[in-house]
Amino acid sequence: MDTQQELRLSDDLLAFIDIWKEKRGNLIMILHRIQQDFGYVPKKIAIELSRYIDVPLAKIYGVLTFYHYFKQEKPGRNTLAVCTGTACYLKGAQDLLHEVENLLGAGVKQTTEDGEFSVEAVRCIGCCGLSPVMTINDEVFGVLKTDELAGIISKFHSKSSGQQ
Amino acid sequence: MQKIHIKINQIPMEVEKGTSVLVAAKKAGIHIPTLCAHPDLTPWGACGLCVVKVEGMPKLPRACVTEVSEGASYITHDPELNKIRRTIVEMILSNHPNECLTCGRSGSCELQTLAANFSIREVPFESNVTEHPKDESTLSIVLDPRKCIKCGRCVLVCQQLQDVWALEFIGRGDHTEMMPAAGALLSESPCIKCGQCSAHCPVGAIYERDDTKKLLDAILDPELHVAVQIAPAVRVAIGEAFGLEPGTITTGKIYAALRRIGVDAIFDTNFSADLTIMEEGTEFVDRLTKGGVLPLITSCCPSWVDYMEKYCADMIPNFSTAKSPMMMQGALTKTYYADKKEIPKEKIFSAAIMPCTSKKFEIVRHKDMYASGQQDVDVVLTTRELARLIKQSGIDFLSLPDEGADSPIGAYTGAGTIFGATGGVMEAALRTGYFLVTGSEYEKITFEEVRGMDGIRTASIHIDGKELRVAIAHGVANVRDLLNEIRQARDEGKEPPYHFVEVMACRGGCIAGGGQPYNTTDEVRNARIAGMYADDQQSEIRCSHKNPFIEEIYKEFLETPGSGKAHELLHTHYQHRPLYTK
Ligand code: SF4
Ligand code: SF4
Ligand code: SF4
Ligand code: FES
């Protein structure tokens, strides 16, 4: 995924849209394809799409916000997810989320200004024994306490870990 | 039509196939409570309040989305259904702020009425009100999402009736919110400020911006001379706020009430409706005889202008440059009237009572709205706001005497009155058009063929041996096809399908504007329209060009229709306004 891509509908995408334009359920297919290309559905692209297929932007956002699958924000380099399933919730998932927001300045469904982290709240990820649980990318951190968060997060931060 | 035989609460009935249980019950004189269904809109069964029983069936269908079926027996009310409905209301209340005392809908709110009827004294569920800031970005309406009960009417109105798509269901499930796309504020969205969402919202989640204080402050200011104009459609509707039937004409009482509130001069927008006919009519005849761009499209409706500037800027050359009657009246109040009265225009406060929320934004729409050198109209109050003002001023509206308007820009003709109804501008223009083309009078005064409630109406009228094709659309969703027909002819270099087109954004025209008394349905629209035409019929003079004050103002001040002076004060410009640029 090339996140530096210029924000406009590429010829490829336009060709795809032309094929799907008149079909039923097309909007979802087109939005899927856009998310594949950009990693999310940028507002600018949604507006361009709205003009191109002559569908109100409101209708596009109706679909976009109905399915959890679609992202409206550019995802961060790392995805930090706190489980808010019942077990984790009872063991203080909310406190974790608050602390994450404190540390990163980004709440659920937001991305830090430096583009390093996207924060998500997810439903049970099946590690209830380890609750409360947080994942960063593919790594799972269980039986987590709020004061451990700063240390863990800093390891994933590109500046502190020295990688790009 | 196939007939279906049913029973409602054991009363046998025969109704047309396809009728909903809700509508059938209404016919039987039974009121099933509703919060989401509305006669103007396609029902979608969201609130659940209209559940009924069907004998022999375990399920409780929702009456608004259930078609009657042959032989079925429906129960609309029993203690069990009452209990279910009560619980639904309680659940809605648990998500609703307890702010009736300061709510714009207090006294007319459909939820408040239900809570009262179901004797709800406390809410047994935990209160959970989502915090969300108000959207006060437009001059016309305010969105308070905390009060939204997610009935969806505003979204359906904005999409189905208006084809604007400013609002959409954003999100899903409990988190759904009715708002513009992409986090835009209403002012950044395609919203055309028609206020139809506010007129359909059952609660106080969308309401007109209240500007009553501005008028009261101006009246209190001893330096200011307060001049108020009232629009055609106000007179057939405001009575509803005082218990009168829709369509009752109360012009004289409105004048009297405004005088008692403390206004210095009272004018009637109908006067400048007559003036609009002279200006727009002359523009039309010019285009017709000199080969200008046709069809000419009316521009009195600011929501329609806003829509055109956003969605169909390619039609700008077709738009009449004539300002709306309200703006003409404002410009004249601060020039012609100011000069006559020898009052400096800075000392005149010009207010307008309108059926319309969009007019609140029109007064600052373009620099042309400052033609007098000042803001030509300083404040717009809707019919609903004036009704409140009358009540708070302790005026017994119904016992007021009928008074007259002030000279010289207060007198009007029947043609000016009917401006408030769909087809009215067209009819008024036709009455004067003949005179403008031929210089002589036409024997015909009424043009029944342009009246009615069909979304699009077309007619062909013969004037002086020439065929004149006209079209009328109301409710913005009806405009698209008409415009496409015109575009197609234009692009193919063909003769335009119409010469003159009238558009009003609101269904039924301004008589059903977004600022009119609540509970507007087609029945109410028809009654108000009938009121307009009755007022016209009673008028001594029924053609704009015969209004003696119109003749006078041209002689004394404006010279001729379409003169340089008229253009400076009474005409305007349009520009493309692309959507979602922020
Ligand atoms: S004012 Fe009219 S255009 Fe704007 S949101 Fe309401 S219904 Fe839609
Ligand atoms: S804002 Fe009003 S009309 Fe719109 S969904 Fe909410 S309650 Fe219904
Ligand atoms: S039709 Fe009349 S009330 Fe409705 S927006 Fe237009 S001017 Fe206002
Ligand atoms: S009125 Fe039928 S579900 Fe709301």
Side-chain angles (χ1 to χ4, degrees):
Chain A
M1 179 188 70
D2 178 7
T3 47
Q4 294 310 305
Q5 210 164 334
E6 208 187 314
L7 288 185
R8 60 180 190 81
L9 293 170
S10 63
D11 292 345
D12 248 20
L13 258 172
L14 288 175
F16 180 84
I17 294 169
D18 284 336
I19 295 171
W20 277 89
K21 225 166 153 175
E22 310 295 338
K23 295 188 189 163
R24 270 177 76 91
N26 57 6
L27 196 49
I28 294 185
M29 291 310 295
I30 294 170
L31 290 173
H32 265 280
R33 176 65 201 268
I34 288 174
Q35 180 147 313
Q36 260 173 34
D37 278 27
F38 295 90
Y40 70 118
V41 182
K43 179 168 153 186
K44 228 183 125 211
I45 292 292
I47 293 173
E48 223 181 297
L49 175 70
S50 148
R51 293 197 182 123
Y52 189 69
I53 61 175
D54 194 20
V55 165
L57 189 68
K59 196 180 229 171
I60 295 178
Y61 270 79
V63 171
L64 215 54
T65 58
F66 186 82
Y67 297 100
H68 293 303
Y69 167 82
F70 292 117
K71 294 188 171 66
Q72 290 175 60
E73 297 287 334
K74 186 172 173 176
R77 207 176 56 85
N78 303 293
T79 303
L80 182 157
V82 175
C83 176
T84 52
T86 316
C88 290
Y89 185 85
L90 293 174
K91 288 271 175 78
Q94 285 306 324
D95 298 339
L96 291 182
L97 278 172
H98 281 143
E99 183 60 12
V100 166
E101 188 164 354
N102 264 342
L103 292 168
L104 293 177
V108 174
K109 285 197 175 168
Q110 290 177 339
T111 299
T112 54
E113 260 172 40
D114 60 7
E116 284 292 314
F117 291 93
S118 298
V119 180
E120 280 174 19
V122 292
R123 294 284 148 85
C124 183
I125 55 172
C127 309
C128 302
L130 296 175
S131 59
V133 172
M134 173 180 88
T135 62
I136 297 186
N137 306 332
D138 295 332
E139 262 184 80
V140 179
F141 303 89
V143 208
L144 203 56
K145 301 203 183 63
T146 43
D147 54 12
E148 295 171 70
L149 284 171
I152 296 173
I153 286 173
S154 71
K155 278 197 217 127
F156 287 85
H157 217 279
S158 56
K159 284 187 198 102
S160 50
S161 63
Q163 48 178 250
Q164 272 308 299
Chain B
M1 238 325 157
Q2 198 187 327
K3 296 284 181 196
I4 302 281
H5 302 86
I6 55 166
K7 276 191 199 157
I8 293 191
N9 300 345
Q10 305 311 329
I11 308 166
M13 278 185 81
E14 192 187 76
V15 291
E16 273 173 17
K17 189 177 173 1
T19 308
S20 71
V21 177
L22 182 67
V23 172
K26 189 161 186 262
K27 284 201 174 109
I30 296 161
H31 177 74
I32 301 177
T34 54
L35 273 176
C36 62
H38 188 286
D40 284 347
L41 307 167
T42 316
W44 66 300
C47 73
L49 214 57
C50 65
V51 285
V52 291
K53 289 181 178 172
V54 193
E55 264 175 35
M57 260 180 54
K59 272 199 188 161
L60 302 177
R62 300 181 177 204
C64 64
V65 286
T66 307
E67 281 183 17
V68 288
S69 56
E70 182 60 41
S73 172
Y74 302 98
I75 311 288
T76 66
H77 292 77
D78 69 11
E80 199 186 345
L81 286 169
N82 283 5
K83 235 177 172 171
I84 295 173
R85 291 185 182 135
R86 189 193 157 90
T87 307
I88 294 174
V89 175
E90 285 169 345
M91 281 170 54
I92 296 173
L93 290 181
S94 74
N95 294 319
H96 196 82
N98 236 328
E99 290 171 10
C100 292
L101 284 179
T102 49
C103 180
R105 284 306 294 275
S106 192
S108 68
C109 171
E110 296 177 35
L111 179 62
Q112 194 184 43
T113 306
L114 284 167
N117 290 353
F118 282 93
S119 304
I120 295 175
R121 296 290 170 267
E122 54 221 23
V123 178
F125 306 107
E126 197 186 326
S127 161
N128 178 19
V129 181
T130 26
E131 284 309 314
H132 204 297
K134 286 185 188 170
D135 184 337
E136 301 192 79
S137 62
T138 79
L139 295 172
S140 300
I141 53 172
V142 178
L143 261 58
D144 186 353
R146 289 159 60 249
K147 290 188 183 158
C148 174
I149 59 166
K150 312 201 172 163
C151 73
R153 284 189 200 167
C154 55
V155 174
L156 298 183
V157 166
C158 193
Q159 299 182 354
Q160 291 181 353
L161 290 188
Q162 304 302 64
D163 197 20
V164 171
W165 295 78
L167 299 174
E168 174 60 293
F169 302 100
I170 297 292
R172 144 182 221 167
D174 285 351
H175 301 290
T176 309
E177 291 200 46
M178 286 59 185
M179 56 191 278
L185 290 169
L186 209 53
S187 61
E188 302 154 0
S189 84
C191 172
I192 57 170
K193 283 80 107 182
C194 65
Q196 283 303 323
C197 49
S198 76
H200 286 80
C201 179
V203 297
I206 307 184
Y207 53 94
E208 73 283 351
R209 181 183 285 280
D210 189 296
D211 289 314
T212 49
K213 188 171 172 293
K214 287 189 190 157
L215 179 60
L216 291 178
D217 284 347
I219 292 172
L220 267 180
D221 187 337
E223 296 274 291
L224 289 179
H225 180 83
V226 180
V228 178
Q229 53 170 311
I230 70 159
V234 178
R235 69 205 66 209
V236 291
I238 196 167
E240 292 163 38
F242 301 93
L244 296 176
E245 285 300 313
T248 314
I249 307 158
T250 53
T251 319
K253 295 195 193 314
I254 301 172
Y255 297 158
L258 284 167
R259 281 212 181 87
R260 279 164 177 67
I261 290 171
V263 160
D264 299 303
I266 291 157
F267 302 134
D268 205 307
T269 316
N270 289 13
F271 168 82
S272 45
D274 281 335
L275 197 60
T276 300
I277 288 301
M278 298 308 289
E279 291 298 323
E280 201 165 271
T282 305
E283 184 184 12
F284 175 62
V285 171
D286 252 18
R287 290 188 187 205
L288 193 68
T289 51
K290 296 185 189 142
V293 180
L294 287 173
L296 181 72
I297 304 180
T298 60
S299 58
C300 317
C301 167
S303 286
W304 164 233
V305 168
D306 200 28
Y307 185 90
M308 180 272 303
E309 290 188 323
K310 284 170 174 160
Y311 282 97
C312 22
D314 63 314
M315 289 284 174
I316 286 180
N318 293 79
F319 254 59
S320 167
T321 59
K323 283 183 186 169
S324 70
M326 176 185 80
M327 289 318 306
M328 289 194 183
Q329 189 85 23
L332 292 176
T333 302
K334 292 202 180 179
T335 53
Y336 180 64
Y337 174 73
D339 292 351
K340 271 206 149 180
K341 277 276 180 175
E342 295 177 354
I343 304 171
K345 57 190 172 210
E346 316 79 66
K347 297 282 180 233
I348 294 185
F349 185 86
S350 136
I353 314 296
M354 296 281 137
C356 177
T357 51
S358 193
K359 295 269 165 193
K360 288 176 183 277
F361 123 94
E362 184 188 13
I363 58 179
V364 293
R365 194 199 121 240
H366 189 277
K367 65 175 176 18
D368 295 340
M369 307 299 130
Y370 301 77
S372 64
Q374 300 280 311
Q375 187 173 321
D376 296 334
V377 177
D378 294 295
V379 74
V380 169
L381 302 192
T382 59
T383 308
R384 295 199 291 267
E385 287 164 272
L386 178 62
R388 293 200 292 268
L389 209 50
I390 293 173
K391 288 178 184 170
Q392 70 173 263
S393 305
I395 295 167
D396 177 4
F397 187 72
L398 299 183
S399 62
L400 283 175
D402 286 332
E403 292 184 3
D406 290 304
S407 265
I409 47 178
Y412 63 90
T413 71
T417 295
I418 59 175
F419 253 65
T422 171
V425 175
M426 180 63 71
E427 182 163 343
L430 290 173
R431 289 181 191 176
T432 289
Y434 186 85
F435 169 78
L436 291 175
V437 174
T438 63
S440 56
E441 299 296 335
Y442 197 40
E443 73 282 4
K444 198 169 144 178
I445 287 215
T446 57
F447 291 84
E448 299 281 346
E449 52 271 62
V450 300
R451 299 183 185 180
M453 274 296 281
D454 289 342
I456 300 179
R457 303 187 297 285
T458 60
S460 156
I461 281 139
H462 291 269
I463 287 187
D464 205 21
K466 271 201 201 116
E467 189 202 24
L468 203 63
R469 293 183 300 273
V470 302
I472 295 129
H474 60 125
V476 190
N478 289 312
V479 179
R480 192 183 274 242
D481 289 346
L482 198 60
L483 290 187
N484 283 340
E485 194 187 342
I486 295 164
R487 278 194 184 108
Q488 196 182 345
R490 176 192 68 193
D491 296 346
E492 290 170 3
K494 289 196 186 133
E495 160 107 351
Y498 308 103
H499 299 102
F500 197 13
V501 174
E502 177 209 283
V503 179
M504 297 188 191
C506 298
R507 177 169 172 78
C510 307
I511 50 99
Q516 290 283 62
Y518 292 112
N519 301 322
T520 303
T521 58
D522 275 358
E523 219 179 313
V524 173
R525 290 184 178 94
N526 284 325
R528 291 183 189 154
I529 290 174
M532 302 237 97
Y533 287 111
D535 197 23
D536 164 42
Q537 211 157 10
Q538 289 160 16
S539 304
E540 239 166 84
I541 307 175
R542 295 177 69 189
C543 301
S544 301
H545 60 279
K546 292 198 194 153
N547 182 337
F549 291 94
I550 291 284
E551 290 174 51
E552 191 176 306
I553 200 171
Y554 278 112
K555 222 181 282 154
E556 283 184 9
F557 186 65
L558 290 168
E559 295 150 30
T560 54
S563 71
K565 183 122 191 174
H567 263 276
E568 193 186 302
L569 292 174
L570 310 180
H571 289 255
T572 183
H573 299 83
Y574 308 104
Q575 71 197 68
H576 181 208
R577 297 181 201 270
L579 293 174
Y580 298 112
T581 47
K582 267 205 185 149

